[in-house]
Amino acid sequence: QVRLVESGGGSVQVGGSLRLSCALSGYSFRRYYMAWFRRAPGKEDEGIAAVYDDNSPTQYADSVNGRFTAARNGDTLLLQMNNLKPEDSGVYVCAADSGVRGVDSNWLRSVAYQYWGHGTRVNVSS
């Protein structure tokens, strides 16, 4: 059974930092994409960062480029979030997919992913 478990969310003030972690287990594919998405009320899921493997470049959303850094280490995906803004608030959800289904080649789109975690909440207050 595939599981994605996120941790590290919390409440911070504007300009603060948080570090999120996502652990994947039970996935039979050797190579796959992992990504972070942000869910906020009334908005579509926003792809924040996506990475294929340890040696691949990471794709970032324009809204977080330069402030967030994703790092992949095998079955774990980290997200270091610096200089947080109120608009960064939301539930951060981790996703994984091997790509063999060929649903979408844009790995910052939610439809590309088959497996999802339950998320960890981030609240940034001013």
Side-chain angles (χ1 to χ4, degrees), residues 4 6 12 15 25 32 34-35 37 39 58 61 79 81 86-87 95 100:
L4 289 154
E6 303 93 338
V12 295
S25 62
Y32 46 88
M34 292 185 74
F37 284 82
R39 291 178 176 169
T58 303
L79 186 66
M81 306 187 296
E87 53 264 41
V100 297

Side-chain angles (χ1 to χ4, degrees), residues 47-104:
I48 298 300
V51 59
Y52 186 52
D53 60 28
D54 300 9
N55 298 313
S56 298
T58 303
Q59 302 172 53
Y60 292 101
D62 290 342
S63 61
V64 305
N65 205 8
R67 299 187 298 120
F68 290 14
T69 303
R72 175 87 180 266
N73 183 7
D75 295 340
T76 300
L77 181 63
L78 304 174
L79 186 66
Q80 178 66 41
M81 306 187 296
N82 297 327
N83 191 22
L84 284 161
K85 305 175 181 180
E87 53 264 41
D88 293 321
S89 297
V91 177
Y92 284 71
V93 186
C94 183
D97 196 278
S98 66
V100 297
R101 297 180 303 138
V103 174
D104 199 310

Side-chain angles (χ1 to χ4, degrees), residues 108-126:
L108 287 178
R109 293 191 65 197
S110 60
V111 294
Y113 294 88
Q114 183 175 8
Y115 297 103
W116 294 84
H118 293 290
T120 184
R121 185 172 295 277
V122 171
N123 183 55
V124 185
S125 58
S126 56

Side-chain angles (χ1 to χ4, degrees), residues 8-52:
S11 295
V12 295
Q13 293 189 327
V14 168
S17 298
L18 282 173
R19 182 180 174 94
L20 306 183
S21 178
C22 171
L24 171 68
S25 62
Y27 203 38
S28 59
F29 287 93
R30 293 180 60 189
R31 301 185 72 187
Y32 46 88
Y33 283 88
M34 292 185 74
W36 285 103
F37 284 82
R38 180 166 61 207
R39 291 178 176 169
K43 296 182 179 180
E44 292 187 2
D45 288 357
E46 180 183 11
I48 298 300
V51 59
Y52 186 52

